[in-house]
């Protein structure tokens, strides 16, 4: 039988603490009991608050709009693979075994640094200027090998071009593409590796090798089905907002768009076409006038083009000629890609009067529309679908997989 004084000493009851709640740092022992009139909810809420305050602070993720403000389409990166682990020189030690022999294990290999395409990444702004791979672990006793270094993945946007010097070493233009930017170093050998008939007790071990070190230049070229090309203030951003859910900046002054924007056009048969809004070009862009080369390289990946013409200016047909000239001077054959001519701002009186002259000068039909009022957008959407179907048919005939969004 247990004495009553021992029983009372065993159970420590908190008395007179009706309004007491434990703090976030309070620790209740197994022998402490809460009074009957104390609410158990107070304890659970307090513990939840304590757990909430103990969570580490995390960096707030930027939205897509904020990332667009810091759009980066080129980056110099120093990548270095992980170093291999060292081999170990040791001998087996066990009672009643005088000559246990060498049992030093090999070191683990260093981790590789790999570039991987991620469609959620829109620019190279999140890519750092230096990356170091994970090192391999050293070998151990009893022939234990060291652990290999983990792989380090660098997320890059779709359409990233990898250059080493002036040589293109990789073109990451498909979702899920990977490129090993730097190899990890090989692990060192333990003295067990050097065991031979003429050397029964080797003491030699080798250190791990350093990882590969390279300086790479990453260049982003926007990947899209269609690219809208035009002079500044031609209404390309307004047109992209009208046919897709993209929200590029629109204003009544030239060079409003400084970074390319991609919008997705949805059709009833679940077909999706990506349209890129290329920043405005100027005459002499192929000579890098007005950041021309920085804008023109985003046109290279577009499968077909939309020449957006401003009908409100005098002689609008000269815009098409100048745009084709700049594209041809930048890359031969670029202006000969399948295209459509879009005559924008048809809602203005002077623009509607210049439409017959434009079609007569170009010798082909131009799609007259208004991005501001939405007039005749259906004709553009149908023409986009026709161009996309022609592109898909040509890619399949060549045995290549067409781009999908």
């Amino acid at each position: 039988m247990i004495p009553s004084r021992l029983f009372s000493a065993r159970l420590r009851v908190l008395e007179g603490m009706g309004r007491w709640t434990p703090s976030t740092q309070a620790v209740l022992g197994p022998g402490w009991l809460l009074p009957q009139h104390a609410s158990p909810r107070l304890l659970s809420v307090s513990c939840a608050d304590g757990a909430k305050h103990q969570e580490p602070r995390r960096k707030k993720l930027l939205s897509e709009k904020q990332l667009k403000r810091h759009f980066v389409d080129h980056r110099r990166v120093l990548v270095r693979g992980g170093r291999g682990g060292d081999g170990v020189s040791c001998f087996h030690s066990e009672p009643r075994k005088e000559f246990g022999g060498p049992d030093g294990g090999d070191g683990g290999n260093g981790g590789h640094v790999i570039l991987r395409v991620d469609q959620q990444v829109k620019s190279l702004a999140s890519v750092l200027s230096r990356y170091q791979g994970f090192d391999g672990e050293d070998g151990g006793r009893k022939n234990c090998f060291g652990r290999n270094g983990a792989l380090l993945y660098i997320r890059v946007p779709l359409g990233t071009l990898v250059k080493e010097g002036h040589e293109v070493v990789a073109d990451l233009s498909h979702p899920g593409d990977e490129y090993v930017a730097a190899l990890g170093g090989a692990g060192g050998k333990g003295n067990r590796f050097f065991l031979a008939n003429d050397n029964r007790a080797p003491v030699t071990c080798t250190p791990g090798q350093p990882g590969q070190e390279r300086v790479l230049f990453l260049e982003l070229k926007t990947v899209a089905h269609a690219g809208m090309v035009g002079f500044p203030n031609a209404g390309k951003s307004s047109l992209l907002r009208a046919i897709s859910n993209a929200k590029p900046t629109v204003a009544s002054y030239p060079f409003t768009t400084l970074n390319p924007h991609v919008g997705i056009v949805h059709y009833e048969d679940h077909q999706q076409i990506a349209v890129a809004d290329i920043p405005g070009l100027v005459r002499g862009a192929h000579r890098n006038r007005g950041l021309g080369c920085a804008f023109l390289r985003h046109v290279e990946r577009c499968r077909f083009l939309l020449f957006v013409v401003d009908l409100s200016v005098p002689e609008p047909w000269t815009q098409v000629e100048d745009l084709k000239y700049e594209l041809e001077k930048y890359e031969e054959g670029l202006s000969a890609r399948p295209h459509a001519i879009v005559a924008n701002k048809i809602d203005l009186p002077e623009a509607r009067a210049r439409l017959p002259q434009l079609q007569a000068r170009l010798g082909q039909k131009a799609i007259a529309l208004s991005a501001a009022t939405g007039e005749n957008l259906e004709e553009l959407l149908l023409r986009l679908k026709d161009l996309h179907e022609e592109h898909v048919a040509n890619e399949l005939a060549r045995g290549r997989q067409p781009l999908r969004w």
Side-chain angles (χ1 to χ4, degrees):
M1 184 155 180
I2 303 176
S4 59
R5 59 185 182 85
L6 296 179
F7 184 79
S8 61
R10 177 65 179 170
L11 301 177
R12 305 176 184 177
V13 181
L14 300 177
E15 299 179 354
M17 302 292 289
R19 297 184 179 179
W20 172 83
T21 57
S23 64
T24 58
Q25 300 178 353
V27 179
L28 299 181
W32 289 83
L33 299 178
L34 288 175
Q36 296 181 356
H37 56 273
S39 175
R41 184 175 180 273
L42 297 177
L43 177 61
S44 62
V45 172
S46 179
C47 294
D49 293 341
K52 181 179 179 180
H53 290 298
Q54 290 176 1
E55 291 181 358
R57 294 183 179 179
R58 298 180 181 178
K59 187 176 180 180
K60 186 178 179 181
L61 298 178
L62 296 178
S63 63
E64 182 180 355
K65 183 177 180 180
Q66 291 172 327
L67 287 175
K68 275 294 183 181
R69 296 176 183 174
H70 310 283
F71 184 86
V72 177
D73 55 2
H74 60 278
R75 180 76 80 184
R76 177 186 181 274
V77 183
L78 172 64
V79 290
R80 185 183 295 113
R83 184 181 181 276
D86 298 334
V88 174
S89 176
C90 58
F91 292 86
H92 184 72
S93 177
E94 187 177 344
R96 294 181 296 278
K97 273 194 177 182
E98 184 177 358
F99 302 103
D103 68 346
D106 300 344
N109 298 325
H112 305 325
V113 181
I114 302 177
L115 301 176
R116 174 187 284 178
V117 172
D118 189 347
Q119 290 186 293
Q120 302 299 324
V121 180
K122 303 303 180 184
S123 75
L124 298 173
S126 59
V127 178
L128 305 179
S129 60
R130 178 175 300 182
Y131 286 93
Q132 170 67 49
F134 296 100
D135 298 339
E137 292 185 356
D138 298 338
R141 303 178 62 90
K142 300 182 180 180
N143 297 319
C144 292
F145 284 34
R147 180 183 298 173
N148 295 334
L151 301 178
L152 177 61
Y153 289 96
I154 305 175
R155 301 190 306 159
V156 296
L158 185 68
T160 300
L161 202 66
V162 185
K163 295 183 178 180
E164 189 172 14
H166 297 286
E167 180 184 0
V168 178
V169 295
D171 187 1
L172 307 178
S173 57
H174 295 87
D177 283 353
E178 294 183 356
Y179 174 70
V180 181
L183 297 171
K189 301 298 182 181
N191 62 340
R192 172 72 180 182
F193 177 81
F194 298 96
L195 178 64
N197 291 333
D198 57 348
N199 187 8
R200 305 304 299 173
V203 295
T204 304
C205 63
T206 59
Q209 299 297 319
Q212 184 183 15
E213 181 176 334
R214 302 171 68 186
V215 177
L216 301 177
F217 296 90
L218 306 183
E219 182 178 307
L220 175 60
K221 296 182 179 180
T222 304
V223 176
H225 294 115
M228 291 195 297
V229 184
F231 282 96
N233 208 22
K236 300 182 297 297
S237 299
S238 301
L239 184 58
L240 185 64
R241 292 171 69 103
I243 63 177
S244 70
N245 291 329
K247 302 298 180 185
T249 304
V250 175
S252 59
Y253 53 87
F255 294 106
T256 307
T257 303
L258 298 178
N259 303 315
H261 292 262
V262 178
I264 307 299
V265 182
H266 300 269
Y267 290 89
E268 294 181 354
D269 54 354
H270 304 285
Q271 189 178 15
Q272 296 180 352
I273 300 178
V275 181
D277 174 18
I278 308 300
L281 304 177
V282 296
R283 293 176 177 85
H286 67 279
R287 297 192 298 268
N288 203 25
R289 181 182 178 187
L291 297 178
C293 293
F295 296 158
L296 282 170
R297 69 161 169 259
H298 294 285
V299 189
E300 296 180 28
R301 301 294 180 90
C302 298
R303 275 56 177 179
F304 44 90
L305 305 176
L306 298 177
F307 292 103
V308 182
V309 179
D310 185 3
L311 278 180
S312 63
V313 299
E315 299 183 354
W317 52 87
T318 59
Q319 300 182 21
V320 181
E321 300 172 358
D322 294 339
L323 290 174
K324 289 185 177 182
Y325 176 78
E326 297 296 334
L327 294 179
E328 192 65 25
K329 286 295 183 179
Y330 178 75
E331 181 181 342
E332 186 177 356
L334 191 58
S335 62
R337 292 187 181 181
H339 64 274
I341 298 177
V342 180
N344 194 16
K345 303 182 181 180
I346 195 64
D347 55 310
L348 301 179
E350 63 274 13
R352 193 175 296 273
R354 296 190 180 102
L355 180 59
Q357 301 178 6
L358 174 66
Q359 295 180 348
R361 290 291 187 121
L362 297 179
Q364 65 182 88
K365 183 180 179 181
I367 303 175
L369 53 82
S370 173
T373 62
E375 180 183 352
N376 203 24
L377 288 180
E378 295 81 4
E379 184 178 354
L380 173 62
L381 296 177
L382 293 176
R383 180 57 178 160
L384 265 178
K385 190 174 183 180
D386 294 339
L387 290 173
H388 180 259
E389 291 177 352
E390 294 176 4
H391 161 68
V392 172
N394 293 334
E395 291 293 308
L396 294 178
R398 298 176 183 176
R400 295 186 297 189
Q401 189 68 20
L403 175 64
R404 293 182 180 274
W405 281 80

